[in-house]
Structures are given as structure tokens and as C-alpha cells.
């Protein structure tokens, strides 16, 4: 269980903005405005109470999320899908694995690009949606660390928005390498560790209505590299796209419902939030290759 306090989050955002000012990105007027805003936040009674949140494991969490996962509003989809299609579009069609396939987003893209697709996921609820979405693909229940495929079974492994929910990347990358044919590729897109650190963790209500968030881990860029190299994979490409610029939202006057945290909280301190987030990547994308025999 974790404790999410709106004031604590806002003070953290102000602190990030002030650190960037300390290293020369902002002037004295900006610093004094942040300090005045901190004093105002400390006196705001609407920020006085936090929320106890459960940590939901990925299988029950994604089963809960399956019915609404594909609804518009997930900003990550606009970043990872173009990156996946750009990388995979340069590869010849073959046998492809959508690892942790969820509702079949990647499976659909891979099928459109001419691949024969097998999708694997640990959530039966997600798999049910994937079978409806991509009827021409095959879907299997399974775990990333024990993929239900034989050795050297596919030419491509694609995995999206899943590895932040895995505690240890090494056995997962070992499985990716095991099921790949020599010369095959791995494409991974996931939430950037800097975005995870700033609260980009999916919120869900449990069956009893209690607030919870999917268990998430902040894997550094080097963690991916070390796991891939240990599995015999070579890094071909690394991308760190930022979210596209948006028109500034109007400043908020209240925290908003818990489901909208931390984004509704950031609207309480828009100048600090923009300064803290400027240039921070939202997504981390990789292309790896297994050596040819």
C-alpha cells in the first residue's frame, strides 16, 4: 500500500522546478514566484488529506482494466504506436510475437504489416478483447518470464507498455532471446523512467471500489541495456520521445478526483509543472537484434 498526498506531490513538482532554476534555467522572478506558491500551497486546506492506495498486481489489475483499456485518453498510445510501426515497417514480414499483448494493439499493427502473429498475455480479460480485435492472430495465456513458445519460433518480438510492471528485466529478455530466430529483432516501447518517477502509473479501482495503482517499477535506461546484452541481444536503436506540446490548460483551483491525479494536481501549479517537465521524455523505445549464427 502507498500513501498519495496531494500537497506532497505539489511540493515535489515545485522542488523539481526550483532545482532547474538553481542550475540556471530560470531567473530570480521565477524562483520567488515558486517560493510564494509553496507558501500558498501550505495554507491550502483542500490539500490537507491524502489517499491510501493499494498496489495491484498486473494480472488482476489488467483484468479490471480490460473493458476500458482501449478508450480514448491514453496519451501513451499516440507515442508508442507510431514508433513501433516505424521500426517494424523497416523489417520484412515474418512470424511475430506480441509479448504482453493486452487488447491486441500491437498485434493488429503487426498483422497489418504482413506478419503472422502470436499474442501472449497473463490476463484472460485482455486476451478476450484481443481475440475480438485481431481474429486472424493466435492468442495464448502465458507469462513474460515463461513464454508458451518453442525455441527460435519467431522473427520478431514486440512488447509495449508492459515492462514497467516487471520487477526484473533479465529473465524477460532471456525469454525474448530464446524464442527469437538468429538475426531476429526485439522492439520494446514503454513508459520512460522519468515519467514513472513523476507519477505516470495507471490508477484503477479494485472490486471493492478501493483506489489502487498497478505495481510499477522504474527501470533505468541502463537496466534495459544490461538485460539485453546479458541475453545476447545487440542494441540497434534507442528513442526517448517527449509528449507533443499542448495548449496550456487553465489553472485549476482544486485537486480534482483521485483518478485524475497527478495530472489534475499539476494544473494547480502550471508554471512549476511546465518547468519541471520541459524536455523530459515520456516514452522509451528500443530495437534490439539477436546475432546471426
Amino acid at each position: 500500500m502507498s500513501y498519495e498526498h496531494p500537497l506532497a506531490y505539489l511540493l515535489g513538482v515545485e522542488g523539481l522546478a526550483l532545482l532547474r532554476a538553481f542550475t540556471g534555467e530560470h531567473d530570480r522572478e521565477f524562483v520567488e514566484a515558486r517560493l510564494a506558491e509553496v507558501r500558498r500551497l501550505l495554507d491550502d486546506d483542500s490539500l490537507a488529506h491524502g489517499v491510501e492506495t493499494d498496489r495491484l498486481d498486473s494480472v488482476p489489475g489488467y483484468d479490471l482494466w480490460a473493458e476500458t483499456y482501449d478508450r480514448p485518453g491514453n496519451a501513451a498510445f499516440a507515442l508508442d504506436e507510431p514508433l513501433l510501426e516505424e521500426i517494424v515497417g523497416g523489417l520484412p514480414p515474418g512470424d511475430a510475437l506480441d509479448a504482453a499483448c493486452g487488447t491486441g494493439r500491437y498485434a493488429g499493427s503487426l498483422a497489418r504489416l504482413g506478419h503472422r502473429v502470436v499474442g501472449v498475455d497473463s490476463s484472460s480479460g485482455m486476451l478476450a478483447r484481443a481475440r475480438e480485435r485481431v481474429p486472424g492472430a493466435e492468442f495464448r495465456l502465458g507469462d513474460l518470464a515463461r513464454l508458451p513458445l518453442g525455441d527460435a519460433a519467431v522473427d520478431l518480438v514486440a512488447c509495449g507498455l508492459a515492462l514497467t510492471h516487471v520487477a526484473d528485466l533479465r529473465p524477460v529478455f532471456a525469454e525474448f532471446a530464446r524464442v527469437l530466430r538468429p538475426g531476429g529483432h526485439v522492439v520494446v516501447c514503454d513508459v520512460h523512467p522519468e515519467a514513472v518517477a513523476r507519477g505516470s502509473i495507471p490508477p484503477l479501482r479494485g472490486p471493492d471500489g478501493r483506489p489502487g495503482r498497478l505495481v510499477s517499477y522504474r527501470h533505468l535506461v541502463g537496466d534495459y541495456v544490461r538485460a539485453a546484452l546479458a541475453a545476447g541481444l545487440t542494441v540497434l536503436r534507442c528513442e526517448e520521445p517527449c509528449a507533443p506540446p499542448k495548449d496550456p490548460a487553465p489553472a485549476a483551483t482544486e485537486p480534482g478526483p483521485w483518478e485524475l491525479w497527478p495530472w489534475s494536481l499539476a494544473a494547480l501549479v502550471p508554471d512549476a509543472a511546465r518547468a519541471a517537465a520541459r524536455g523530459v521524455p515520456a516514452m522509451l523505445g528500443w530495437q534490439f537484434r539477436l546475432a546471426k549464427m
Side-chain angles (χ1 to χ4, degrees):
M1 182 175 291
S2 59
Y3 181 57
E4 300 181 11
H5 198 290
L7 179 59
Y9 180 84
L10 291 167
L11 293 179
V13 171
E14 295 283 2
L16 289 171
L18 286 166
L19 282 174
R20 298 186 75 156
F22 190 83
T23 56
E25 293 187 33
H26 301 283
D27 59 14
R28 178 174 181 171
E29 181 181 0
F30 177 87
V31 171
E32 291 178 346
R34 301 285 64 73
L35 296 175
E37 193 165 58
V38 167
R39 296 185 186 99
R40 175 182 65 78
L41 293 171
L42 291 169
D43 292 333
D44 189 338
D45 291 338
S46 72
L47 304 175
H49 302 290
V51 175
E52 299 276 3
T53 60
D54 294 329
R55 289 170 58 84
L56 301 174
D57 288 336
S58 58
V59 174
Y62 274 104
D63 279 340
L64 286 169
W65 201 4
E67 289 299 317
T68 59
Y69 184 78
D70 289 326
R71 289 180 182 173
N74 192 331
F77 296 172
L79 291 173
D80 73 331
E81 290 178 6
L83 182 57
L84 170 84
E85 296 198 5
E86 178 190 341
I87 295 174
V88 175
L91 302 176
D95 296 311
L97 167 66
D98 182 358
C101 63
T103 60
R105 288 191 309 121
Y106 281 15
S109 295
L110 295 171
R112 287 192 297 274
L113 291 169
H115 294 268
R116 296 174 294 277
V117 182
V118 174
V120 172
D121 202 278
S122 57
S123 164
S124 57
M126 286 287 193
L127 285 173
R129 304 287 291 184
R131 292 185 178 107
E132 294 176 358
R133 183 176 192 159
V134 194
E138 179 185 353
F139 293 97
R140 304 175 186 176
L141 187 68
D143 185 84
L144 283 174
R146 295 179 297 277
L147 291 168
L149 281 80
D151 296 350
V154 296
D155 305 292
L156 169 67
V157 175
C159 183
L161 303 184
L163 297 188
T164 55
H165 306 307
V166 172
D168 188 351
L169 296 177
R170 290 171 296 179
V172 175
F173 273 89
E175 277 292 273
F176 290 170
R178 180 186 68 79
V179 303
L180 269 182
R181 293 170 184 144
H185 293 256
V186 176
V187 178
V188 172
C189 299
D190 223 310
V191 180
H192 197 281
E194 290 301 316
V196 175
R198 285 162 170 75
S200 185
I201 301 173
L204 292 169
R205 291 278 180 181
D208 57 359
R210 287 179 53 84
R213 292 192 190 268
L214 283 175
V215 171
S216 298
Y217 301 91
R218 184 171 175 261
H219 299 304
L220 302 179
V221 171
D223 295 331
Y224 287 91
V225 173
R226 284 183 285 274
L229 293 179
L233 297 165
T234 300
V235 178
L236 296 185
R237 182 170 177 177
C238 178
E239 300 291 343
E240 298 177 278
C242 297
K246 299 184 295 185
D247 293 333
T253 57
E254 60 179 19
W258 167 81
E259 283 84 356
L260 298 181
W261 292 5
W263 320 122
S264 63
L265 297 178
L268 290 167
V269 291
D271 292 339
R274 279 192 291 272
R278 185 176 297 115
V280 174
M283 188 68 55
L284 182 59
W286 294 99
Q287 181 183 6
F288 306 97
R289 183 173 59 198
L290 185 65
K292 295 182 179 179
M293 299 297 289

